[in-house]
CSV table of all heavy atoms in Angstrom, one decimal:
chain,number,residue,atom,x,y,z
A,31,LYS,N,12.7,84.2,-62.6
A,31,LYS,CA,13.9,85.1,-62.4
A,31,LYS,C,15.0,84.3,-61.8
A,31,LYS,O,14.8,83.5,-61.0
A,31,LYS,CB,13.5,86.3,-61.5
A,31,LYS,CG,12.5,87.2,-62.1
A,31,LYS,CD,12.4,88.5,-61.2
A,31,LYS,CE,11.4,89.4,-61.9
A,31,LYS,NZ,11.4,90.7,-61.5
A,32,PHE,N,16.2,84.6,-62.3
A,32,PHE,CA,17.5,84.1,-61.7
A,32,PHE,C,18.1,85.4,-61.1
A,32,PHE,O,18.7,86.2,-61.9
A,32,PHE,CB,18.4,83.4,-62.7
A,32,PHE,CG,17.8,82.2,-63.3
A,32,PHE,CD1,17.3,82.2,-64.6
A,32,PHE,CD2,17.7,81.0,-62.5
A,32,PHE,CE1,16.8,81.0,-65.1
A,32,PHE,CE2,17.2,79.9,-63.1
A,32,PHE,CZ,16.7,79.9,-64.4
A,33,GLY,N,18.1,85.6,-59.8
A,33,GLY,CA,18.5,86.8,-59.2
A,33,GLY,C,17.7,88.0,-59.7
A,33,GLY,O,16.5,87.9,-59.7
A,34,ASP,N,18.3,89.0,-60.3
A,34,ASP,CA,17.5,90.1,-60.9
A,34,ASP,C,17.4,89.9,-62.4
A,34,ASP,O,16.9,90.8,-63.1
A,34,ASP,CB,18.0,91.5,-60.5
A,34,ASP,CG,19.4,91.7,-60.8
A,34,ASP,OD1,20.0,90.8,-61.5
A,34,ASP,OD2,20.0,92.7,-60.3
A,35,PHE,N,17.8,88.8,-62.9
A,35,PHE,CA,17.7,88.5,-64.4
A,35,PHE,C,16.4,87.8,-64.7
A,35,PHE,O,16.1,86.8,-64.0
A,35,PHE,CB,18.9,87.7,-64.9
A,35,PHE,CG,18.8,87.4,-66.3
A,35,PHE,CD1,19.0,88.3,-67.3
A,35,PHE,CD2,18.4,86.1,-66.7
A,35,PHE,CE1,18.9,88.0,-68.7
A,35,PHE,CE2,18.3,85.7,-68.1
A,35,PHE,CZ,18.6,86.7,-69.0
A,36,THR,N,15.6,88.3,-65.6
A,36,THR,CA,14.3,87.7,-65.9
A,36,THR,C,14.5,86.8,-67.2
A,36,THR,O,14.7,87.3,-68.3
A,36,THR,CB,13.2,88.7,-66.2
A,36,THR,OG1,13.2,89.6,-65.1
A,36,THR,CG2,11.9,88.1,-66.4
A,37,ALA,N,14.5,85.5,-67.0
A,37,ALA,CA,14.7,84.5,-68.1
A,37,ALA,C,13.4,84.2,-68.8
A,37,ALA,O,13.4,84.0,-70.0
A,37,ALA,CB,15.3,83.2,-67.5
A,38,VAL,N,12.2,84.3,-68.1
A,38,VAL,CA,10.9,84.1,-68.7
A,38,VAL,C,10.0,85.2,-68.2
A,38,VAL,O,9.9,85.4,-67.0
A,38,VAL,CB,10.3,82.7,-68.3
A,38,VAL,CG1,8.9,82.6,-68.8
A,38,VAL,CG2,11.2,81.6,-68.9
A,39,ASN,N,9.4,85.9,-69.1
A,39,ASN,CA,8.8,87.2,-68.7
A,39,ASN,C,7.3,87.2,-69.0
A,39,ASN,O,6.8,87.4,-70.1
A,39,ASN,CB,9.5,88.3,-69.6
A,39,ASN,CG,9.1,89.7,-69.1
A,39,ASN,OD1,8.4,89.8,-68.0
A,39,ASN,ND2,9.4,90.7,-69.8
A,40,ASN,N,6.5,86.8,-67.9
A,40,ASN,CA,5.1,86.9,-68.0
A,40,ASN,C,4.5,86.1,-69.2
A,40,ASN,O,3.7,86.7,-70.0
A,40,ASN,CB,4.6,88.4,-68.0
A,40,ASN,CG,3.2,88.5,-67.5
A,40,ASN,OD1,2.7,87.7,-66.8
A,40,ASN,ND2,2.6,89.6,-68.0
A,41,LEU,N,4.9,84.9,-69.3
A,41,LEU,CA,4.6,84.1,-70.6
A,41,LEU,C,3.3,83.3,-70.4
A,41,LEU,O,3.2,82.5,-69.4
A,41,LEU,CB,5.8,83.3,-70.9
A,41,LEU,CG,5.8,82.4,-72.1
A,41,LEU,CD1,7.2,82.3,-72.7
A,41,LEU,CD2,5.3,81.0,-71.7
A,42,SER,N,2.4,83.4,-71.4
A,42,SER,CA,1.3,82.5,-71.4
A,42,SER,C,1.3,81.7,-72.7
A,42,SER,O,1.6,82.2,-73.7
A,42,SER,CB,0.0,83.3,-71.2
A,42,SER,OG,-0.1,83.9,-70.0
A,43,LEU,N,0.9,80.4,-72.5
A,43,LEU,CA,1.0,79.5,-73.7
A,43,LEU,C,0.2,78.3,-73.4
A,43,LEU,O,0.1,77.8,-72.3
A,43,LEU,CB,2.5,79.1,-73.8
A,43,LEU,CG,3.0,78.3,-75.0
A,43,LEU,CD1,2.9,79.2,-76.2
A,43,LEU,CD2,4.5,77.9,-74.8
A,44,THR,N,-0.5,77.8,-74.5
A,44,THR,CA,-1.3,76.6,-74.3
A,44,THR,C,-0.9,75.6,-75.3
A,44,THR,O,-0.7,75.9,-76.5
A,44,THR,CB,-2.8,77.0,-74.6
A,44,THR,OG1,-3.2,78.0,-73.7
A,44,THR,CG2,-3.7,75.8,-74.5
A,45,ILE,N,-0.8,74.3,-74.8
A,45,ILE,CA,-0.4,73.2,-75.7
A,45,ILE,C,-1.5,72.2,-75.6
A,45,ILE,O,-2.0,71.9,-74.5
A,45,ILE,CB,1.0,72.7,-75.3
A,45,ILE,CG1,2.0,73.8,-75.4
A,45,ILE,CG2,1.3,71.4,-76.1
A,45,ILE,CD1,3.4,73.4,-74.9
A,46,PHE,N,-1.8,71.5,-76.7
A,46,PHE,CA,-2.9,70.5,-76.7
A,46,PHE,C,-2.4,69.1,-76.6
A,46,PHE,O,-1.3,68.8,-77.0
A,46,PHE,CB,-3.8,70.7,-77.9
A,46,PHE,CG,-4.6,72.0,-77.8
A,46,PHE,CD1,-4.0,73.2,-78.3
A,46,PHE,CD2,-5.8,72.1,-77.1
A,46,PHE,CE1,-4.7,74.4,-78.2
A,46,PHE,CE2,-6.5,73.3,-77.0
A,46,PHE,CZ,-5.9,74.5,-77.6
A,47,GLU,N,-3.3,68.2,-76.2
A,47,GLU,CA,-2.9,66.8,-76.1
A,47,GLU,C,-2.6,66.3,-77.5
A,47,GLU,O,-3.3,66.6,-78.4
A,47,GLU,CB,-4.1,66.0,-75.5
A,47,GLU,CG,-3.7,64.7,-75.0
A,47,GLU,CD,-4.7,64.0,-74.1
A,47,GLU,OE1,-5.9,64.5,-74.0
A,47,GLU,OE2,-4.4,63.0,-73.5
A,48,ARG,N,-1.6,65.5,-77.5
A,48,ARG,CA,-1.1,64.8,-78.8
A,48,ARG,C,-0.5,65.8,-79.7
A,48,ARG,O,-0.2,65.5,-80.9
A,48,ARG,CB,-2.2,64.1,-79.5
A,48,ARG,CG,-2.7,62.9,-78.8
A,48,ARG,CD,-3.9,62.3,-79.5
A,48,ARG,NE,-4.2,61.1,-78.8
A,48,ARG,CZ,-4.0,59.9,-79.4
A,48,ARG,NH1,-3.5,59.8,-80.6
A,48,ARG,NH2,-4.3,58.8,-78.7
A,49,GLU,N,-0.2,67.0,-79.3
A,49,GLU,CA,0.4,68.0,-80.1
A,49,GLU,C,1.9,67.8,-80.2
A,49,GLU,O,2.5,67.4,-79.2
A,49,GLU,CB,0.1,69.4,-79.6
A,49,GLU,CG,0.5,70.5,-80.6
A,49,GLU,CD,0.0,71.9,-80.3
A,49,GLU,OE1,-0.7,72.1,-79.3
A,49,GLU,OE2,0.4,72.8,-81.1
A,50,PHE,N,2.5,68.1,-81.3
A,50,PHE,CA,4.0,68.1,-81.4
A,50,PHE,C,4.3,69.6,-81.4
A,50,PHE,O,4.1,70.3,-82.4
A,50,PHE,CB,4.5,67.4,-82.7
A,50,PHE,CG,5.9,67.0,-82.7
A,50,PHE,CD1,6.3,65.7,-83.1
A,50,PHE,CD2,6.9,67.9,-82.3
A,50,PHE,CE1,7.6,65.3,-83.1
A,50,PHE,CE2,8.2,67.5,-82.3
A,50,PHE,CZ,8.6,66.2,-82.7
A,51,PHE,N,4.8,70.1,-80.3
A,51,PHE,CA,5.0,71.5,-80.1
A,51,PHE,C,6.4,71.9,-80.1
A,51,PHE,O,7.2,71.2,-79.3
A,51,PHE,CB,4.3,71.9,-78.8
A,51,PHE,CG,4.1,73.4,-78.7
A,51,PHE,CD1,2.9,74.0,-79.2
A,51,PHE,CD2,5.0,74.2,-78.1
A,51,PHE,CE1,2.7,75.4,-79.1
A,51,PHE,CE2,4.9,75.6,-78.0
A,51,PHE,CZ,3.7,76.2,-78.5
A,52,ALA,N,6.8,72.9,-80.8
A,52,ALA,CA,8.3,73.3,-80.8
A,52,ALA,C,8.4,74.7,-80.2
A,52,ALA,O,7.7,75.6,-80.5
A,52,ALA,CB,8.8,73.3,-82.2
A,53,LEU,N,9.5,74.8,-79.3
A,53,LEU,CA,9.9,76.1,-78.8
A,53,LEU,C,11.1,76.5,-79.6
A,53,LEU,O,12.1,75.8,-79.5
A,53,LEU,CB,10.2,76.0,-77.3
A,53,LEU,CG,9.1,75.7,-76.4
A,53,LEU,CD1,9.6,75.3,-75.0
A,53,LEU,CD2,8.1,76.8,-76.3
A,54,LEU,N,11.0,77.6,-80.3
A,54,LEU,CA,12.1,77.9,-81.2
A,54,LEU,C,12.6,79.3,-80.9
A,54,LEU,O,11.8,80.2,-80.7
A,54,LEU,CB,11.6,77.9,-82.7
A,54,LEU,CG,12.5,78.3,-83.8
A,54,LEU,CD1,13.7,77.4,-83.9
A,54,LEU,CD2,11.8,78.4,-85.1
A,55,GLY,N,13.9,79.5,-80.8
A,55,GLY,CA,14.5,80.8,-80.5
A,55,GLY,C,16.0,80.8,-80.4
A,55,GLY,O,16.6,79.7,-80.3
A,56,ALA,N,16.6,81.9,-80.3
A,56,ALA,CA,18.0,82.0,-80.3
A,56,ALA,C,18.5,81.6,-78.9
A,56,ALA,O,17.7,81.5,-78.0
A,56,ALA,CB,18.5,83.4,-80.6
Side-chain angles (χ1 to χ4, degrees):
K31 292 191 178 196
F32 295 106
D34 54 10
F35 176 77
T36 307
V38 174
N39 191 8
N40 201 23
L41 178 149
S42 294
L43 188 65
T44 298
I45 299 172
F46 293 89
E47 198 166 9
R48 292 173 172 254
E49 191 171 357
F50 199 132
F51 194 91
L53 297 166
L54 178 64

